[in-house]
Amino acid sequence: MYNILLLGQMQLFFIKGTKGVEIHENVKPEIGEKIIEKGFPNSFRETDLLKYLQEENITELVILGMMTHMCIDATTRAAKDFGFNCTLIEDACATKDLEINNRKIKSNDVQIAFLSALNYFYATVINTKNYLQDN
């Protein structure tokens, strides 16, 4: 299973075995660290993530990554619906310019809109510096 992003024409991204799924050197998992592969924006869909978190009695999630408008949004909303307390690290997420009905929305505006919507109910949105100071 892989995600397909439609950007004017069909483009494939995050295909298993390609560069699009490689884990960046800065966040490579430690030996023995759990890795969960996903095929949908919602990290809980068709994965063992929920089962793993429940078995480990994890109730607090810190969420970051790509893309804010897709995977971060879908996963954060699902996590809250499953009863998790979510903290979203705003400057450790990324998005891109989007387009709807021939209108282009700049990535900064997309980022602010999605983060503010998630902050309304689904997560506490803070920056890295404040998160590290508090934890």
Side-chain angles (χ1 to χ4, degrees):
M1 177 63 59
Y2 55 87
N3 292 331
I4 298 174
L5 269 64
L6 301 174
L7 306 171
Q9 63 186 138
M10 191 178 337
Q11 296 180 10
L12 302 177
F13 195 61
F14 293 137
I15 299 172
K16 190 171 186 169
T18 68
K19 188 165 179 68
V21 297
E22 291 179 9
I23 298 173
H24 192 279
E25 187 65 34
N26 291 348
V27 293
K28 285 224 182 241
E30 296 179 8
I31 295 172
E33 192 170 14
K34 176 79 169 167
I35 298 173
I36 297 174
E37 292 185 26
K38 67 186 192 81
F40 297 95
N42 175 351
S43 298
F44 292 93
R45 183 176 172 186
E46 297 181 24
T47 70
D48 65 347
L49 178 59
L50 179 60
K51 179 181 175 191
Y52 174 77
L53 294 172
Q54 290 171 333
E55 287 173 350
E56 297 295 317
N57 295 313
I58 296 170
T59 59
E60 306 279 331
L61 302 181
V62 178
I63 299 172
L64 52 101
M66 293 178 55
M67 296 211 157
T68 307
H69 71 276
M70 187 62 65
C71 298
I72 299 299
D73 181 62
T75 298
T76 303
R77 291 172 187 268
K80 180 68 171 185
D81 289 345
F82 283 125
F84 294 96
N85 294 318
C86 301
T87 299
L88 182 52
I89 310 298
E90 65 180 326
D91 56 342
C93 296
T95 193
K96 64 186 193 105
D97 294 350
L98 296 179
E99 185 177 329
I100 184 170
N101 299 327
N102 295 315
R103 294 185 317 215
K104 294 186 189 298
I105 298 90
K106 293 291 185 188
S107 62
N108 189 54
D109 294 329
V110 173
Q111 183 81 343
I112 292 167
F114 273 85
L115 291 174
S116 60
L118 291 170
N119 189 65
Y120 183 76
F121 174 76
Y122 290 95
T124 299
V125 177
I126 61 174
N127 64 35
T128 302
K129 180 181 176 183
N130 289 340
Y131 176 78
L132 292 174
Q133 285 176 347
D134 294 344
N135 291 287

PDB file of all heavy atoms in Angstrom, residues 13-42:
ATOM      1  N   PHE A  13       4.520   8.965  -4.228  1.00  0.00           N
ATOM      2  CA  PHE A  13       5.400   9.413  -3.165  1.00  0.00           C
ATOM      3  C   PHE A  13       5.265   8.440  -2.014  1.00  0.00           C
ATOM      4  O   PHE A  13       4.208   7.843  -1.834  1.00  0.00           O
ATOM      5  CB  PHE A  13       4.980  10.824  -2.732  1.00  0.00           C
ATOM      6  CG  PHE A  13       6.010  11.533  -1.907  1.00  0.00           C
ATOM      7  CD1 PHE A  13       7.265  11.811  -2.407  1.00  0.00           C
ATOM      8  CD2 PHE A  13       5.717  11.936  -0.620  1.00  0.00           C
ATOM      9  CE1 PHE A  13       8.213  12.473  -1.649  1.00  0.00           C
ATOM     10  CE2 PHE A  13       6.649  12.602   0.155  1.00  0.00           C
ATOM     11  CZ  PHE A  13       7.910  12.872  -0.374  1.00  0.00           C
ATOM     12  N   PHE A  14       6.304   8.260  -1.248  1.00  0.00           N
ATOM     13  CA  PHE A  14       6.313   7.337  -0.118  1.00  0.00           C
ATOM     14  C   PHE A  14       6.079   5.891  -0.545  1.00  0.00           C
ATOM     15  O   PHE A  14       5.410   5.137   0.143  1.00  0.00           O
ATOM     16  CB  PHE A  14       5.277   7.729   0.948  1.00  0.00           C
ATOM     17  CG  PHE A  14       5.560   9.011   1.660  1.00  0.00           C
ATOM     18  CD1 PHE A  14       4.556   9.916   1.908  1.00  0.00           C
ATOM     19  CD2 PHE A  14       6.841   9.323   2.081  1.00  0.00           C
ATOM     20  CE1 PHE A  14       4.812  11.108   2.575  1.00  0.00           C
ATOM     21  CE2 PHE A  14       7.110  10.501   2.745  1.00  0.00           C
ATOM     22  CZ  PHE A  14       6.096  11.392   2.986  1.00  0.00           C
ATOM     23  N   ILE A  15       6.626   5.486  -1.678  1.00  0.00           N
ATOM     24  CA  ILE A  15       6.483   4.105  -2.131  1.00  0.00           C
ATOM     25  C   ILE A  15       7.546   3.255  -1.452  1.00  0.00           C
ATOM     26  O   ILE A  15       8.721   3.600  -1.446  1.00  0.00           O
ATOM     27  CB  ILE A  15       6.628   4.010  -3.660  1.00  0.00           C
ATOM     28  CG1 ILE A  15       5.538   4.834  -4.338  1.00  0.00           C
ATOM     29  CG2 ILE A  15       6.562   2.553  -4.117  1.00  0.00           C
ATOM     30  CD1 ILE A  15       5.721   4.957  -5.833  1.00  0.00           C
ATOM     31  N   LYS A  16       7.118   2.147  -0.863  1.00  0.00           N
ATOM     32  CA  LYS A  16       8.033   1.247  -0.164  1.00  0.00           C
ATOM     33  C   LYS A  16       9.207   0.889  -1.074  1.00  0.00           C
ATOM     34  O   LYS A  16       9.032   0.567  -2.235  1.00  0.00           O
ATOM     35  CB  LYS A  16       7.284  -0.008   0.276  1.00  0.00           C
ATOM     36  CG  LYS A  16       8.071  -0.882   1.207  1.00  0.00           C
ATOM     37  CD  LYS A  16       7.211  -1.991   1.770  1.00  0.00           C
ATOM     38  CE  LYS A  16       7.986  -2.761   2.814  1.00  0.00           C
ATOM     39  NZ  LYS A  16       7.131  -3.666   3.553  1.00  0.00           N
ATOM     40  N   GLY A  17      10.415   0.983  -0.499  1.00  0.00           N
ATOM     41  CA  GLY A  17      11.614   0.646  -1.240  1.00  0.00           C
ATOM     42  C   GLY A  17      12.214   1.792  -2.043  1.00  0.00           C
ATOM     43  O   GLY A  17      13.217   1.615  -2.717  1.00  0.00           O
ATOM     44  N   THR A  18      11.607   2.990  -1.976  1.00  0.00           N
ATOM     45  CA  THR A  18      12.141   4.142  -2.700  1.00  0.00           C
ATOM     46  C   THR A  18      12.688   5.178  -1.727  1.00  0.00           C
ATOM     47  O   THR A  18      12.466   5.107  -0.521  1.00  0.00           O
ATOM     48  CB  THR A  18      11.060   4.815  -3.564  1.00  0.00           C
ATOM     49  OG1 THR A  18      10.092   5.434  -2.713  1.00  0.00           O
ATOM     50  CG2 THR A  18      10.377   3.818  -4.484  1.00  0.00           C
ATOM     51  N   LYS A  19      13.375   6.175  -2.269  1.00  0.00           N
ATOM     52  CA  LYS A  19      13.959   7.236  -1.458  1.00  0.00           C
ATOM     53  C   LYS A  19      12.885   7.989  -0.660  1.00  0.00           C
ATOM     54  O   LYS A  19      13.153   8.497   0.416  1.00  0.00           O
ATOM     55  CB  LYS A  19      14.727   8.205  -2.353  1.00  0.00           C
ATOM     56  CG  LYS A  19      15.531   9.221  -1.587  1.00  0.00           C
ATOM     57  CD  LYS A  19      16.546   9.893  -2.486  1.00  0.00           C
ATOM     58  CE  LYS A  19      17.336  10.928  -1.763  1.00  0.00           C
ATOM     59  NZ  LYS A  19      18.240  10.413  -0.748  1.00  0.00           N
ATOM     60  N   GLY A  20      11.657   8.033  -1.164  1.00  0.00           N
ATOM     61  CA  GLY A  20      10.583   8.755  -0.492  1.00  0.00           C
ATOM     62  C   GLY A  20      10.217   8.226   0.883  1.00  0.00           C
ATOM     63  O   GLY A  20       9.561   8.912   1.661  1.00  0.00           O
ATOM     64  N   VAL A  21      10.623   7.003   1.203  1.00  0.00           N
ATOM     65  CA  VAL A  21      10.299   6.432   2.515  1.00  0.00           C
ATOM     66  C   VAL A  21      11.514   6.310   3.432  1.00  0.00           C
ATOM     67  O   VAL A  21      11.388   5.828   4.550  1.00  0.00           O
ATOM     68  CB  VAL A  21       9.615   5.049   2.403  1.00  0.00           C
ATOM     69  CG1 VAL A  21       8.289   5.151   1.705  1.00  0.00           C
ATOM     70  CG2 VAL A  21      10.517   4.043   1.716  1.00  0.00           C
ATOM     71  N   GLU A  22      12.661   6.748   2.952  1.00  0.00           N
ATOM     72  CA  GLU A  22      13.859   6.658   3.781  1.00  0.00           C
ATOM     73  C   GLU A  22      13.737   7.547   5.006  1.00  0.00           C
ATOM     74  O   GLU A  22      13.224   8.654   4.933  1.00  0.00           O
ATOM     75  CB  GLU A  22      15.099   7.055   2.970  1.00  0.00           C
ATOM     76  CG  GLU A  22      15.454   6.053   1.907  1.00  0.00           C
ATOM     77  CD  GLU A  22      16.666   6.479   1.092  1.00  0.00           C
ATOM     78  OE1 GLU A  22      17.331   7.474   1.452  1.00  0.00           O
ATOM     79  OE2 GLU A  22      16.935   5.802   0.080  1.00  0.00           O
ATOM     80  N   ILE A  23      14.215   7.054   6.136  1.00  0.00           N
ATOM     81  CA  ILE A  23      14.201   7.823   7.383  1.00  0.00           C
ATOM     82  C   ILE A  23      15.439   8.703   7.406  1.00  0.00           C
ATOM     83  O   ILE A  23      16.559   8.228   7.185  1.00  0.00           O
ATOM     84  CB  ILE A  23      14.173   6.875   8.602  1.00  0.00           C
ATOM     85  CG1 ILE A  23      12.898   6.031   8.572  1.00  0.00           C
ATOM     86  CG2 ILE A  23      14.288   7.667   9.902  1.00  0.00           C
ATOM     87  CD1 ILE A  23      12.838   4.951   9.633  1.00  0.00           C
ATOM     88  N   HIS A  24      15.231   9.987   7.670  1.00  0.00           N
ATOM     89  CA  HIS A  24      16.340  10.937   7.708  1.00  0.00           C
ATOM     90  C   HIS A  24      17.321  10.555   8.803  1.00  0.00           C
ATOM     91  O   HIS A  24      16.936  10.093   9.888  1.00  0.00           O
ATOM     92  CB  HIS A  24      15.812  12.357   7.958  1.00  0.00           C
ATOM     93  CG  HIS A  24      16.837  13.418   7.737  1.00  0.00           C
ATOM     94  ND1 HIS A  24      17.786  13.735   8.685  1.00  0.00           N
ATOM     95  CD2 HIS A  24      17.074  14.215   6.661  1.00  0.00           C
ATOM     96  CE1 HIS A  24      18.561  14.696   8.216  1.00  0.00           C
ATOM     97  NE2 HIS A  24      18.156  14.996   6.989  1.00  0.00           N
ATOM     98  N   GLU A  25      18.594  10.747   8.529  1.00  0.00           N
ATOM     99  CA  GLU A  25      19.663  10.398   9.462  1.00  0.00           C
ATOM    100  C   GLU A  25      19.453  11.011  10.848  1.00  0.00           C
ATOM    101  O   GLU A  25      19.758  10.394  11.869  1.00  0.00           O
ATOM    102  CB  GLU A  25      21.017  10.856   8.890  1.00  0.00           C
ATOM    103  CG  GLU A  25      22.207  10.403   9.695  1.00  0.00           C
ATOM    104  CD  GLU A  25      22.389   8.886   9.713  1.00  0.00           C
ATOM    105  OE1 GLU A  25      22.083   8.216   8.708  1.00  0.00           O
ATOM    106  OE2 GLU A  25      22.830   8.373  10.762  1.00  0.00           O
ATOM    107  N   ASN A  26      18.913  12.225  10.920  1.00  0.00           N
ATOM    108  CA  ASN A  26      18.722  12.914  12.204  1.00  0.00           C
ATOM    109  C   ASN A  26      17.682  12.256  13.104  1.00  0.00           C
ATOM    110  O   ASN A  26      17.653  12.525  14.300  1.00  0.00           O
ATOM    111  CB  ASN A  26      18.328  14.373  11.980  1.00  0.00           C
ATOM    112  CG  ASN A  26      19.463  15.191  11.412  1.00  0.00           C
ATOM    113  OD1 ASN A  26      20.610  14.758  11.369  1.00  0.00           O
ATOM    114  ND2 ASN A  26      19.143  16.385  10.960  1.00  0.00           N
ATOM    115  N   VAL A  27      16.815  11.439  12.532  1.00  0.00           N
ATOM    116  CA  VAL A  27      15.753  10.817  13.332  1.00  0.00           C
ATOM    117  C   VAL A  27      15.722   9.298  13.180  1.00  0.00           C
ATOM    118  O   VAL A  27      14.703   8.671  13.456  1.00  0.00           O
ATOM    119  CB  VAL A  27      14.364  11.427  12.997  1.00  0.00           C
ATOM    120  CG1 VAL A  27      14.283  12.861  13.441  1.00  0.00           C
ATOM    121  CG2 VAL A  27      14.038  11.282  11.514  1.00  0.00           C
ATOM    122  N   LYS A  28      16.833   8.720  12.771  1.00  0.00           N
ATOM    123  CA  LYS A  28      16.891   7.259  12.634  1.00  0.00           C
ATOM    124  C   LYS A  28      16.581   6.606  13.977  1.00  0.00           C
ATOM    125  O   LYS A  28      17.029   7.072  15.020  1.00  0.00           O
ATOM    126  CB  LYS A  28      18.267   6.822  12.154  1.00  0.00           C
ATOM    127  CG  LYS A  28      18.497   7.109  10.696  1.00  0.00           C
ATOM    128  CD  LYS A  28      19.145   5.934  10.037  1.00  0.00           C
ATOM    129  CE  LYS A  28      19.392   6.287   8.585  1.00  0.00           C
ATOM    130  NZ  LYS A  28      18.718   5.462   7.685  1.00  0.00           N
ATOM    131  N   PRO A  29      15.796   5.529  13.962  1.00  0.00           N
ATOM    132  CA  PRO A  29      15.460   4.847  15.215  1.00  0.00           C
ATOM    133  C   PRO A  29      16.678   4.183  15.844  1.00  0.00           C
ATOM    134  O   PRO A  29      17.599   3.759  15.143  1.00  0.00           O
ATOM    135  CB  PRO A  29      14.432   3.799  14.789  1.00  0.00           C
ATOM    136  CG  PRO A  29      14.530   3.693  13.321  1.00  0.00           C
ATOM    137  CD  PRO A  29      15.164   4.938  12.801  1.00  0.00           C
ATOM    138  N   GLU A  30      16.648   4.127  17.155  1.00  0.00           N
ATOM    139  CA  GLU A  30      17.695   3.420  17.886  1.00  0.00           C
ATOM    140  C   GLU A  30      17.460   1.918  17.757  1.00  0.00           C
ATOM    141  O   GLU A  30      16.355   1.472  17.440  1.00  0.00           O
ATOM    142  CB  GLU A  30      17.667   3.840  19.357  1.00  0.00           C
ATOM    143  CG  GLU A  30      17.989   5.309  19.564  1.00  0.00           C
ATOM    144  CD  GLU A  30      17.929   5.731  21.020  1.00  0.00           C
ATOM    145  OE1 GLU A  30      17.787   4.853  21.899  1.00  0.00           O
ATOM    146  OE2 GLU A  30      18.025   6.941  21.275  1.00  0.00           O
ATOM    147  N   ILE A  31      18.472   1.147  18.036  1.00  0.00           N
ATOM    148  CA  ILE A  31      18.350  -0.313  17.973  1.00  0.00           C
ATOM    149  C   ILE A  31      17.241  -0.756  18.927  1.00  0.00           C
ATOM    150  O   ILE A  31      17.205  -0.359  20.087  1.00  0.00           O
ATOM    151  CB  ILE A  31      19.690  -0.986  18.330  1.00  0.00           C
ATOM    152  CG1 ILE A  31      20.735  -0.631  17.274  1.00  0.00           C
ATOM    153  CG2 ILE A  31      19.523  -2.502  18.463  1.00  0.00           C
ATOM    154  CD1 ILE A  31      22.137  -1.084  17.607  1.00  0.00           C
ATOM    155  N   GLY A  32      16.325  -1.550  18.412  1.00  0.00           N
ATOM    156  CA  GLY A  32      15.220  -2.059  19.206  1.00  0.00           C
ATOM    157  C   GLY A  32      14.014  -1.136  19.282  1.00  0.00           C
ATOM    158  O   GLY A  32      12.980  -1.520  19.825  1.00  0.00           O
ATOM    159  N   GLU A  33      14.135   0.067  18.755  1.00  0.00           N
ATOM    160  CA  GLU A  33      13.011   1.011  18.786  1.00  0.00           C
ATOM    161  C   GLU A  33      11.921   0.551  17.826  1.00  0.00           C
ATOM    162  O   GLU A  33      12.202   0.097  16.716  1.00  0.00           O
ATOM    163  CB  GLU A  33      13.501   2.409  18.415  1.00  0.00           C
ATOM    164  CG  GLU A  33      12.503   3.504  18.683  1.00  0.00           C
ATOM    165  CD  GLU A  33      13.095   4.900  18.522  1.00  0.00           C
ATOM    166  OE1 GLU A  33      14.191   5.050  17.957  1.00  0.00           O
ATOM    167  OE2 GLU A  33      12.433   5.837  18.971  1.00  0.00           O
ATOM    168  N   LYS A  34      10.678   0.659  18.243  1.00  0.00           N
ATOM    169  CA  LYS A  34       9.528   0.208  17.465  1.00  0.00           C
ATOM    170  C   LYS A  34       9.381   1.054  16.205  1.00  0.00           C
ATOM    171  O   LYS A  34       9.415   2.283  16.257  1.00  0.00           O
ATOM    172  CB  LYS A  34       8.256   0.308  18.326  1.00  0.00           C
ATOM    173  CG  LYS A  34       6.978  -0.043  17.625  1.00  0.00           C
ATOM    174  CD  LYS A  34       6.789  -1.525  17.525  1.00  0.00           C
ATOM    175  CE  LYS A  34       5.382  -1.849  17.052  1.00  0.00           C
ATOM    176  NZ  LYS A  34       5.250  -3.231  16.668  1.00  0.00           N
ATOM    177  N   ILE A  35       9.192   0.396  15.076  1.00  0.00           N
ATOM    178  CA  ILE A  35       8.912   1.056  13.802  1.00  0.00           C
ATOM    179  C   ILE A  35       7.561   0.557  13.319  1.00  0.00           C
ATOM    180  O   ILE A  35       7.330  -0.656  13.260  1.00  0.00           O
ATOM    181  CB  ILE A  35       9.996   0.751  12.749  1.00  0.00           C
ATOM    182  CG1 ILE A  35      11.351   1.273  13.212  1.00  0.00           C
ATOM    183  CG2 ILE A  35       9.612   1.343  11.392  1.00  0.00           C
ATOM    184  CD1 ILE A  35      12.505   0.864  12.327  1.00  0.00           C
ATOM    185  N   ILE A  36       6.691   1.482  12.974  1.00  0.00           N
ATOM    186  CA  ILE A  36       5.376   1.128  12.450  1.00  0.00           C
ATOM    187  C   ILE A  36       5.261   1.714  11.050  1.00  0.00           C
ATOM    188  O   ILE A  36       5.335   2.928  10.878  1.00  0.00           O
ATOM    189  CB  ILE A  36       4.249   1.647  13.364  1.00  0.00           C
ATOM    190  CG1 ILE A  36       4.358   0.965  14.725  1.00  0.00           C
ATOM    191  CG2 ILE A  36       2.883   1.416  12.720  1.00  0.00           C
ATOM    192  CD1 ILE A  36       3.408   1.475  15.774  1.00  0.00           C
ATOM    193  N   GLU A  37       5.115   0.862  10.063  1.00  0.00           N
ATOM    194  CA  GLU A  37       4.939   1.317   8.692  1.00  0.00           C
ATOM    195  C   GLU A  37       3.469   1.577   8.446  1.00  0.00           C
ATOM    196  O   GLU A  37       2.614   0.825   8.890  1.00  0.00           O
ATOM    197  CB  GLU A  37       5.458   0.267   7.714  1.00  0.00           C
ATOM    198  CG  GLU A  37       6.958   0.111   7.763  1.00  0.00           C
ATOM    199  CD  GLU A  37       7.481  -0.843   6.702  1.00  0.00           C
ATOM    200  OE1 GLU A  37       6.821  -0.999   5.652  1.00  0.00           O
ATOM    201  OE2 GLU A  37       8.543  -1.423   6.932  1.00  0.00           O
ATOM    202  N   LYS A  38       3.202   2.670   7.729  1.00  0.00           N
ATOM    203  CA  LYS A  38       1.811   3.024   7.452  1.00  0.00           C
ATOM    204  C   LYS A  38       1.617   3.255   5.968  1.00  0.00           C
ATOM    205  O   LYS A  38       2.569   3.556   5.255  1.00  0.00           O
ATOM    206  CB  LYS A  38       1.388   4.247   8.263  1.00  0.00           C
ATOM    207  CG  LYS A  38       2.077   5.528   7.889  1.00  0.00           C
ATOM    208  CD  LYS A  38       1.678   6.651   8.860  1.00  0.00           C
ATOM    209  CE  LYS A  38       2.115   8.000   8.354  1.00  0.00           C
ATOM    210  NZ  LYS A  38       1.262   8.605   7.375  1.00  0.00           N
ATOM    211  N   GLY A  39       0.373   3.158   5.539  1.00  0.00           N
ATOM    212  CA  GLY A  39       0.056   3.366   4.132  1.00  0.00           C
ATOM    213  C   GLY A  39      -0.988   4.420   3.902  1.00  0.00           C
ATOM    214  O   GLY A  39      -1.447   4.609   2.777  1.00  0.00           O
ATOM    215  N   PHE A  40      -1.387   5.104   4.969  1.00  0.00           N
ATOM    216  CA  PHE A  40      -2.425   6.123   4.881  1.00  0.00           C
ATOM    217  C   PHE A  40      -2.013   7.327   5.721  1.00  0.00           C
ATOM    218  O   PHE A  40      -1.193   7.193   6.635  1.00  0.00           O
ATOM    219  CB  PHE A  40      -3.767   5.579   5.393  1.00  0.00           C
ATOM    220  CG  PHE A  40      -4.294   4.439   4.581  1.00  0.00           C
ATOM    221  CD1 PHE A  40      -4.041   3.124   4.959  1.00  0.00           C
ATOM    222  CD2 PHE A  40      -5.030   4.669   3.432  1.00  0.00           C
ATOM    223  CE1 PHE A  40      -4.508   2.065   4.209  1.00  0.00           C
ATOM    224  CE2 PHE A  40      -5.510   3.611   2.670  1.00  0.00           C
ATOM    225  CZ  PHE A  40      -5.250   2.307   3.055  1.00  0.00           C
ATOM    226  N   PRO A  41      -2.601   8.497   5.482  1.00  0.00           N
ATOM    227  CA  PRO A  41      -2.271   9.673   6.295  1.00  0.00           C
ATOM    228  C   PRO A  41      -2.525   9.455   7.789  1.00  0.00           C
ATOM    229  O   PRO A  41      -1.732   9.874   8.619  1.00  0.00           O
ATOM    230  CB  PRO A  41      -3.179  10.765   5.733  1.00  0.00           C
ATOM    231  CG  PRO A  41      -3.385  10.372   4.312  1.00  0.00           C
ATOM    232  CD  PRO A  41      -3.455   8.859   4.340  1.00  0.00           C
ATOM    233  N   ASN A  42      -3.607   8.776   8.140  1.00  0.00           N
ATOM    234  CA  ASN A  42      -3.926   8.475   9.526  1.00  0.00           C
ATOM    235  C   ASN A  42      -3.045   7.307   9.978  1.00  0.00           C
ATOM    236  O   ASN A  42      -3.213   6.179   9.524  1.00  0.00           O
ATOM    237  CB  ASN A  42      -5.410   8.117   9.645  1.00  0.00           C
ATOM    238  CG  ASN A  42      -5.805   7.682  11.027  1.00  0.00           C
ATOM    239  OD1 ASN A  42      -4.984   7.480  11.908  1.00  0.00           O
ATOM    240  ND2 ASN A  42      -7.101   7.517  11.216  1.00  0.00           N
TER     241      ASN A  42
END
